[in-house]
Amino acid sequence: MAVRPLLRRAARLLGAAALTLAGTLTAAAPAHADFGTDYHDPVTATRPLTRPDTRSCTVEVMHDQQFRNGYGNPPDTPYTTTLTPPADCAGPWSAVVLDLHGQVAGRQFDRIFSARVGGVQVLLSSTPEPSKDGIEWKLERDLTRYAPLFAAGPQPFSLDLANVTDATYTGVFTISASVTFYTANDRWPAARAADRLLTTGPFALTQAAPAATRELTFPQNLERLTAEVYTRGGGACEEFAYASAPDAFVSANPGLGSCGKGPFRELRLTVDGRTAGAVWPYPVIYTGGWDPLLWRPVPGVFAFDLPAYRLDLTPYVGLLLDGRPHTVGIAVNASEAQNNDTWTGQVNLFADVDHGTARTTGQLTDHRVAPEAAVDTRLTDHGGGSGDWTVTAGRHDLARGWVQTSHGRITTEVRDDLAFRSAQQLRDSGNDVALHNRTDLTRTTATWGGGPHRTTTVREGEPLDVTYRVTHDAAGNTDQRTAMDLGYHRETTAATGGHVTERSTVDHTLRPTARRHDGDSTVRTGTSTEDYRSTGPDGPYHRTLSFVDGWPKP
């Protein structure tokens, strides 16, 4: 988190006098003793990684490293070291896994942190907010797809966690991390990985600079290319971009202090200035978001493991085979006048080459990818700090291209059908809020040539419902209630020659509530129910968790 957004958020926290929409979102306070001095360690119902039972070797890269002041002189972040793959477990590997253990006590904000290997981002995460007595949490991250980095030998490893401590915010994060390399055998063969990894390095997108580019040179025998985009919105408004109001409402109601630019965000990936794909970020809510009581002890969906959004760029391979530098860019959508604060992240590119030839050739034959998503805003301003708005966005994109390889001409077609809808109601100057967001994404990749027709389709659903209400009575009592229903649903289907060969699903829902009452009595209470179901090659999985006031429900 950059210094300026961090200070803005802290200033809003300390100076907020009224509970408007913007004040509520930015004033997500750290853990408070009224809830109790302790609660259960963070826990999630999500499926743990499936780990091979082969011989393995673990390399510790960080042991009880403390992150106290990321803005000190000198700062204590990023922590850097060298990660050397163990000779006793030489690759190729069936899996590579990063394990992280953290602990913190006292009072502290949620903090964003990231890990990089060889300059390539491999993790984007956030910390939990602690109890006074202290909590511990664990995180596991599959790094198998980054195997080309480890195969190249020792690599720089860094973990960047910018914390701030003072007389009020006392929590110091103490983190240990290790990487385990699992050898391969007949039952657990070596995992398939790209031949090369390229990266743009970190980017930061602002209103003044809404785009970033990097020149990269690709292998001249390139056959397939996939991008992954790590990104997050930071600052007092962009962290909650999904709940932002249209600019027209903000302008007409300046006293509210609401965040503008609307609730839709799109990051566009470009190749030599041509739009090649779009990322619609998931509305990740961290453990300080809206009301910290919502997330004790179950974190929001993806809060501890932010997604790396994947885009298939294979149709564009034919443009990249001349051995010259090509520009890869990332930009925030301009249809909503860019963004309020900053979007940061990094783009990694996974390159597969044709080992049967030194050079491939190719061509982009069809490109129907919109420069911007189509966005429509319907606003009704009721006056007096009340309004309704509905914002919709859509994409229907197609890109097709072929690559002439040593095993024939391979044609790849990528189709994206994306739909977004946000319906929001704001009453009583932000003391009464209802938000209903839906994002539905369908991405299909088809290939033919060199074998039967192959198709992979990924369908994702991302619902988010929020109700928030603050009431004041004549006796001076204040009652604040927040309820959420958020989830992530994915279905992946692979077919060969028209016959389905593989299908996997994820259905993840989380329903937390929180209440704060001040006046004739003091009440701090929260509940959460999380349900996670999945199917796929590793078999079915199902787990449900229920908590009341930070502890398992009896």
Side-chain angles (χ1 to χ4, degrees):
M1 187 179 294
V3 178
R4 188 172 181 183
L6 173 67
L7 295 178
R8 284 182 60 190
R9 188 181 186 202
R12 296 286 291 273
L13 274 166
L14 299 175
L19 286 170
T20 66
L21 174 62
T24 301
L25 297 181
T26 60
H32 195 283
D34 287 347
F35 188 77
T37 61
D38 197 16
Y39 56 87
H40 195 285
D41 288 339
V43 62
T44 177
T46 57
R47 184 172 194 152
L49 293 178
T50 299
R51 304 196 184 211
D53 58 7
T54 62
R55 182 170 54 86
S56 63
C57 303
T58 299
V59 178
E60 187 176 57
V61 291
M62 191 162 60
H63 181 74
D64 287 347
Q65 181 66 30
Q66 291 194 336
F67 294 89
R68 184 183 303 272
N69 191 349
Y71 306 101
N73 189 18
D76 60 14
T77 192
Y79 169 82
T80 60
T81 187
T82 299
L83 171 57
T84 301
D88 289 344
C89 292
W93 303 281
S94 55
V96 181
V97 177
L98 169 69
D99 286 290
L100 182 145
H101 175 268
Q103 52 188 332
V104 60
R107 183 177 175 90
Q108 192 53 264
F109 289 103
D110 48 8
R111 304 290 183 182
I112 294 292
F113 68 94
S114 59
R116 289 178 171 83
V117 176
V120 173
Q121 185 159 0
V122 300
L123 171 70
L124 181 59
S125 184
S126 72
T127 66
E129 292 195 349
S131 66
K132 181 179 178 180
D133 290 355
I135 57 172
E136 299 183 32
W137 82 101
K138 294 181 179 180
L139 171 67
E140 57 179 7
R141 174 70 166 165
D142 188 349
L143 303 187
T144 309
R145 65 180 179 274
Y146 303 104
L149 295 174
F150 308 120
Q155 296 288 335
F157 174 91
S158 67
L159 191 140
D160 192 0
L161 195 168
N163 192 25
V164 173
T165 57
D166 55 28
T168 303
Y169 304 108
T170 58
V172 176
F173 295 101
T174 302
I175 296 181
S176 298
S178 62
V179 180
T180 301
F181 296 81
Y182 295 87
T183 58
N185 60 19
D186 291 342
R187 183 168 177 264
W188 295 95
R192 186 188 179 283
D195 296 294
R196 283 188 58 186
L197 264 69
L198 302 91
T199 183
T200 63
F203 63 77
L205 309 178
T206 65
Q207 283 195 27
T213 60
R214 176 74 180 270
E215 286 194 341
L216 298 171
T217 301
F218 296 87
Q220 290 186 271
N221 60 343
L222 185 64
E223 183 173 339
R224 293 193 62 83
L225 185 65
T226 304
E228 68 173 10
V229 181
Y230 286 94
T231 189
R232 64 169 292 267
C237 284
E238 286 309 287
E239 180 177 328
F240 308 95
Y242 56 86
S244 294
D247 281 344
F249 182 81
V250 175
S251 299
N253 298 271
L256 288 181
S258 298
C259 297
K261 313 306 178 191
F264 174 69
R265 293 294 180 273
E266 172 179 270
L267 273 72
R268 294 176 290 109
L269 190 65
T270 61
V271 176
D272 289 337
R274 187 195 315 254
T275 301
V279 168
W280 293 4
Y282 185 88
V284 178
I285 305 175
Y286 309 110
T287 55
W290 292 77
D291 189 327
L293 302 183
L294 296 164
W295 318 114
R296 300 179 186 169
V298 180
V301 176
F302 294 128
F304 286 0
D305 192 1
L306 275 72
Y309 305 96
R310 299 181 70 82
L311 298 172
D312 194 330
L313 302 182
T314 304
Y316 304 90
V317 164
L319 307 176
L320 308 173
L321 301 172
D322 55 11
R324 300 173 183 171
H326 291 268
T327 301
V328 176
I330 190 83
V332 180
N333 58 298
S335 59
E336 291 290 334
Q338 290 100 48
N339 53 311
N340 295 288
D341 303 306
T342 304
W343 282 84
T344 57
Q346 188 161 338
V347 181
N348 300 326
L349 296 153
F350 297 79
D352 291 300
V353 302
D354 183 353
H355 294 277
T357 184
R359 296 195 64 172
T360 53
T361 58
Q363 184 178 350
L364 176 66
T365 57
D366 196 352
H367 181 264
R368 286 175 272 167
V369 180
E372 295 278 347
V375 181
D376 180 70
T377 300
R378 306 292 175 93
L379 167 65
T380 302
D381 191 337
H382 300 293
S386 295
D388 301 336
W389 54 88
T390 300
V391 177
T392 58
R395 269 190 175 275
H396 303 282
D397 298 333
L398 181 147
R400 183 188 303 122
W402 57 263
V403 180
Q404 190 66 44
T405 71
S406 62
H407 43 276
R409 174 173 291 192
I410 309 298
T411 299
T412 300
E413 179 182 276
V414 175
R415 289 180 178 267
D416 290 340
D417 293 288
L418 318 180
F420 170 87
R421 186 179 190 274
S422 176
Q424 301 187 37
Q425 296 178 341
L426 187 146
R427 298 288 185 273
D428 190 20
S429 298
N431 287 319
D432 188 349
V433 177
L435 179 154
H436 304 282
N437 285 4
R438 293 290 184 276
T439 302
D440 294 294
L441 314 173
T442 300
R443 301 183 189 269
T444 301
T445 299
T447 60
W448 57 91
H453 189 282
R454 300 169 297 280
T455 304
T456 300
T457 300
V458 180
R459 295 182 176 88
E460 297 172 287
E462 302 171 354
L464 172 62
D465 296 306
V466 181
T467 57
Y468 166 83
R469 182 164 175 76
V470 178
T471 58
H472 310 270
D473 63 22
N477 298 303
T478 300
D479 197 76
Q480 174 183 314
R481 298 172 186 261
T482 310
M484 291 195 179
D485 191 334
L486 61 161
Y488 175 73
H489 308 281
R490 186 184 72 236
E491 179 186 61
T492 303
T493 304
T496 300
H499 300 284
V500 174
T501 56
E502 186 175 328
R503 181 178 179 270
S504 61
T505 61
V506 170
D507 288 291
H508 187 188
T509 59
L510 177 58
R511 297 180 176 90
T513 68
R515 183 192 178 202
R516 295 173 183 266
H517 182 89
D518 292 292
D520 52 12
S521 62
T522 299
V523 176
R524 300 288 187 269
T525 187
T527 69
S528 62
T529 299
E530 182 184 32
D531 188 82
Y532 187 95
R533 300 169 183 264
S534 66
T535 63
D538 295 328
Y541 176 88
H542 182 211
R543 188 182 185 191
T544 300
L545 298 175
S546 294
F547 287 84
V548 177
D549 294 341
W551 296 101
K553 186 175 181 179

